Amino acid sequence: MGELIIAKTVKEVRDQVSAWRKEGLTVGLVPTMGYLHEGHASLVDKAVSMCDRVVASDFVNPTQFGPGEDLESYPRDFEHDCALLKEHGCNMVFYPSVDEMYPDGNGKTDTYVEILDDMPKQLCGKTRPIHFRGVCTVVSKLFNIVLPDKAFFGQKDAQQLAIIKRMVRDLSYGIEIVGCPIVREADGLAKSSRNTYLNDAERQAALCLSRAVFAGMDMVKAGEKNADTVVGMMKDIIEKEPLAKIDYVSSVDAVTMADVHEIKAPVLFAMAVYIGKTRLIDNFITE
Ligand code: AMP
């Protein structure tokens, strides 16, 4: 197991990355909000396999949380995160304070990166209107700090991945975005830091998301071409679960996030569902 460098300042990251660059080494970035699990570990594994050095960021980004969301209660365990990152061969973790990332204080900034078309207004953007502006802003900052060759994101957050790809294209970041498959628990639930909020009954109830995803996949595999029919069937499955409340179940173009009703080009079937007070997401993309 190699050494894991813990960097708390932008300068420490810049100095270390430029030293690696002088040696001619390539650098991969894995942005996270910490409380790491095997989903995050799979991104690190992928990064280690494709880059000479890997930097993970561990930062609960205030600008992507709306009022009344779980910014304060978001789970944190930096010691555990470091152990996981070390075990998976990550070379450096960037663990900044809020003030280090947002020098104006209190997680405030007057400069944002925002995609102005409908892409961030779809799906999660309907109930989280400032979310993707915060994500694009913090990921831009991380790109400018680390200057990676490649950055790794999970398909679990499919809209985020599509938006980051669009941002990289629109702002000419010379960074390759690598999407990684969803890692699930043995019973199907997509791994998420927020799963820790679930009590036993909710944990059982949460399986309705992956059940709907798998049933949707099967229906498409069996030849269904009407996306609304697939969405309807997925909704039926979730609505049978008394502890579940649907935020959305939708079918959109996998690249543009525009609504689709017919399966021709790759379609993203995505959902957000409240299980009790916990909002969980899951999805699949057709071929
Ligand atoms: P988060 O810490 O939740 O912001 O996630 C950081 C990165 O890990 C994002 O790119 C997520 O899409 C990815 N990720 C989170 N959960 C999973 C999972 N179950 N499988 C694959 N990637 C994941």
Side-chain angles (χ1 to χ4, degrees):
M1 230 186 278
E3 188 204 355
L4 176 71
I5 301 164
I6 297 174
K8 295 192 175 176
T9 64
V10 172
K11 183 172 184 321
E12 284 170 272
V13 176
R14 289 215 167 106
D15 288 352
Q16 182 58 63
V17 171
S18 77
W20 286 333
R21 291 253 173 248
K22 281 198 189 109
E23 292 179 57
L25 301 171
T26 60
V27 177
L29 171 66
V30 180
T32 84
M33 297 208 299
Y35 211 71
L36 304 182
H37 50 66
E38 284 157 51
H40 300 109
S42 75
L43 269 50
V44 174
D45 291 343
K46 187 77 177 169
V48 166
S49 77
M50 293 178 76
C51 306
D52 298 319
R53 294 291 181 269
V54 173
V55 180
S57 59
D58 187 323
F59 179 62
V60 181
N61 173 41
T63 63
Q64 70 190 67
F65 287 78
E69 292 185 357
D70 58 345
L71 173 61
E72 278 79 28
S73 58
Y74 196 83
R76 296 159 211 243
D77 187 347
F78 184 58
E79 244 176 69
H80 165 83
D81 292 349
C82 287
L84 180 141
L85 291 171
K86 211 166 165 177
E87 194 187 318
H88 286 266
C90 179
N91 303 97
M92 176 160 67
V93 57
F94 179 39
Y95 183 58
S97 65
V98 170
D99 287 351
E100 180 71 13
M101 286 300 274
Y102 295 105
D104 287 348
N106 296 321
K108 297 259 182 307
T109 180
D110 290 325
T111 305
Y112 287 102
V113 176
E114 186 172 15
I115 294 174
L116 293 179
D117 84 356
D118 283 345
M119 210 174 171
K121 300 193 184 94
Q122 289 283 74
L123 306 179
C124 288
K126 289 189 176 155
T127 46
R128 307 188 74 192
I130 62 155
H131 177 66
F132 290 111
R133 183 183 79 167
V135 168
C136 284
T137 302
V138 79
V139 171
S140 287
K141 287 169 71 67
L142 291 168
F143 284 176
N144 288 329
I145 293 163
V146 178
L147 302 175
D149 300 280
K150 302 180 199 295
F152 298 79
F153 293 85
Q155 190 61 51
K156 157 104 187 319
D157 298 86
Q159 187 178 13
Q160 167 173 284
L161 174 56
I163 283 174
I164 297 296
K165 283 183 178 164
R166 172 80 184 273
M167 178 187 85
V168 162
R169 191 199 71 171
D170 287 358
L171 295 182
S172 309
Y173 277 109
I175 298 171
E176 183 190 342
I177 302 303
V178 181
C180 304
I182 300 176
V183 176
R184 298 178 179 280
E185 302 287 355
D187 60 7
L189 179 67
K191 287 189 185 261
S192 165
S193 307
R194 290 191 169 99
N195 291 348
T196 187
Y197 297 145
L198 303 170
N199 64 29
D200 289 349
E202 289 168 343
R203 173 65 183 75
Q204 262 319 104
L207 290 175
C208 70
L209 282 90
S210 50
R211 261 205 308 275
V213 163
F214 298 148
M217 281 173 162
D218 286 346
M219 202 172 193
V220 172
K221 226 182 271 166
E224 181 59 61
K225 294 283 176 227
N226 185 325
D228 297 332
T229 306
V230 180
V231 166
M233 185 276 302
M234 291 167 74
K235 280 185 174 163
D236 285 346
I237 291 176
I238 298 163
E239 279 162 359
K240 283 205 183 84
E241 173 50 62
L243 294 181
K245 193 172 154 286
I246 292 175
D247 177 358
Y248 67 81
V249 181
S250 303
S251 52
V252 297
D253 180 281
V255 176
T256 66
M257 305 285 113
D259 291 329
V260 295
H261 303 285
E262 207 187 327
I263 304 171
K264 288 186 285 190
V267 173
L268 167 66
F269 287 90
M271 62 177 73
V273 176
Y274 285 93
I275 303 292
K277 289 199 168 90
T278 305
R279 187 173 174 282
L280 300 176
I281 56 173
D282 204 341
N283 71 79
F284 74 98
I285 297 185
T286 64
E287 279 161 20

